[in-house]
Amino acid sequence: MAGRKQGSGSTVTDVIVPAARGHYERLVSLAADVRDDADDSVHQMRVSARRLRSLLGTYRDAFPPDATVTARSELRWLGSVLGKARDAEVLAARFCELIDAQPADLVVGSVHQRLVGTQEDLYRAAHADAVDELARPRYAALCALLEEVTSGREAAPVDLTLRSGLDKAYRQLRKAAKKVRALRHEDGADLGPALHRVRKRAKKLRYAAEAAAAAEPSAADLGSAAKALQSMLGDHQDGVLAREWIIDAVAQARIDDEDTFTYGLLYAAEEARAVRTTSELPRLVKAIKKAHRTLDLRT
């Protein structure tokens, strides 16, 4: 049988296709929760879309080629629709936590409304837009397409194995991490794009490893290690966005002749947090290397 792992009976068709199907079914089931604005529903639906899109890319030869290209493009669209609401939701919570962590007598002016309130307003508007999109033909067409793509009717090539997908994702991550390491030795280098690339590669490896863990438990360790790196860099990216919003809020506060001291305090706290998180990069990459080395998938 195409794509079979010798000795275990597990194939890409046995493992990855059902995993993709599961993400599709979960995505569809979460639409009702998003419409009802259930807690964390936007986040969970976005994650399902990302997981599915990632598997369709890592193991693309296990799925219908033309339909898969279109499906991945449309899943990117859906992720962007949900992402607007999710980003605002994350920043509102982050700013609330950041402000609450400061001494009360150092929080002056309308800082809470300018930061937390603004993001809450943006969330409500973005959520309404997302609900509208879920009621339109484009989303219905995507669901119909995903029904076809994840049906399991496409035969996987013989040389497409669980291990090959994981190895390729791992190599891509290592290459991206080496680029960051090289940039750190360059004065004034902007690490932002390179770190973002590492995050995307870690996410790809994580989702593939978590799916493969259904057949090989040792892949779970690789998925956990990749998740740790992805989470760290996700926090870093949230911090980048937070600092941009703080700068915008300062500009508006000055126009309104308000005290801007607290904004400086918050900005400094975010900068310190960024330094702490990115210092973990070498250790987390090393943990992924170790988990990949001990991966018990022979084919």
Side-chain angles (χ1 to χ4, degrees):
M1 182 177 178
R4 183 169 296 282
K5 180 188 174 184
Q6 296 176 357
S8 74
S10 296
T11 69
V12 169
T13 301
D14 294 333
V15 177
I16 300 301
V17 175
R21 183 72 177 188
H23 295 320
Y24 158 60
E25 291 174 349
R26 178 160 171 73
L27 184 152
V28 171
S29 71
L30 284 165
D33 289 341
V34 170
R35 293 185 185 100
D36 293 339
D37 201 15
D39 183 51
D40 204 39
S41 58
V42 170
H43 176 216
Q44 292 304 320
M45 188 174 186
R46 188 189 188 197
V47 167
S48 292
R50 283 180 160 182
R51 285 179 178 272
L52 178 52
R53 184 176 184 275
S54 184
L55 288 184
L56 293 181
T58 303
Y59 295 98
R60 68 186 65 202
D61 291 339
F63 302 95
D66 294 339
T68 298
V69 171
T70 303
R72 294 192 74 236
S73 176
E74 290 299 275
L75 283 168
R76 181 191 290 274
W77 159 77
L78 179 61
S80 69
V81 168
L82 298 169
K84 293 176 183 177
R86 177 57 181 166
D87 288 348
E89 184 178 41
V90 168
L91 284 172
R94 189 180 184 100
F95 284 138
C96 193
E97 177 185 342
L98 185 61
I99 293 169
D100 288 347
Q102 310 308 314
D105 58 341
L106 297 183
V107 179
V108 295
S110 55
V111 61
H112 193 279
Q113 178 54 40
R114 290 192 187 279
L115 294 177
V116 179
T118 294
Q119 296 303 322
E120 289 175 341
D121 290 344
L122 289 171
Y123 172 81
R124 284 188 286 270
H127 176 264
D129 289 343
V131 170
D132 287 345
E133 291 293 345
L134 293 180
R136 291 177 178 163
R138 185 173 184 178
Y139 174 69
L142 171 59
C143 290
L145 183 61
L146 293 174
E147 174 74 28
E148 172 194 347
V149 167
T150 63
S151 65
R153 289 191 290 267
E154 187 79 8
V158 175
D159 60 346
L160 180 62
T161 64
L162 296 174
R163 180 81 197 217
S164 66
L166 291 174
D167 285 348
K168 182 177 180 180
Y170 172 73
R171 289 193 300 270
Q172 290 173 336
L173 172 58
R174 291 282 293 174
K175 181 178 179 181
K178 287 180 180 178
K179 178 65 174 177
V180 171
R181 189 162 63 246
L183 285 173
R184 279 183 161 166
H185 296 294
E186 298 180 13
D187 292 337
D190 180 9
L191 293 178
L195 288 172
H196 182 61
R197 190 174 302 109
V198 172
R199 182 191 177 197
K200 290 197 299 183
R201 298 294 183 255
K203 190 185 307 178
K204 179 179 180 178
L205 178 60
R206 172 194 172 184
Y207 293 158
E210 288 178 345
E216 175 44 60
S218 67
D221 291 337
L222 182 59
S224 295
K227 178 183 177 180
L229 177 59
Q230 176 197 340
S231 298
M232 181 275 285
L233 291 174
D235 183 79
H236 178 269
Q237 178 60 26
D238 291 342
V240 171
L241 295 176
R243 293 196 297 276
E244 291 175 354
W245 277 103
I246 290 171
I247 290 173
D248 289 344
V250 166
Q252 187 58 50
R254 285 173 176 160
I255 292 173
D256 295 338
D257 199 27
E258 289 186 10
D259 192 320
T260 60
F261 171 79
T262 304
Y263 297 102
L265 193 66
L266 300 180
Y267 191 93
E270 281 289 355
E271 279 197 320
R273 182 171 176 173
V275 171
R276 289 195 302 272
T277 55
T278 55
S279 68
E280 290 290 295
L281 182 62
R283 180 184 66 80
L284 295 175
V285 171
K286 185 177 180 180
I288 291 173
K289 181 179 181 180
K290 179 180 179 181
H292 180 264
R293 188 168 58 245
T294 58
L295 188 62
D296 190 24
L297 274 174
R298 296 176 182 82
T299 61

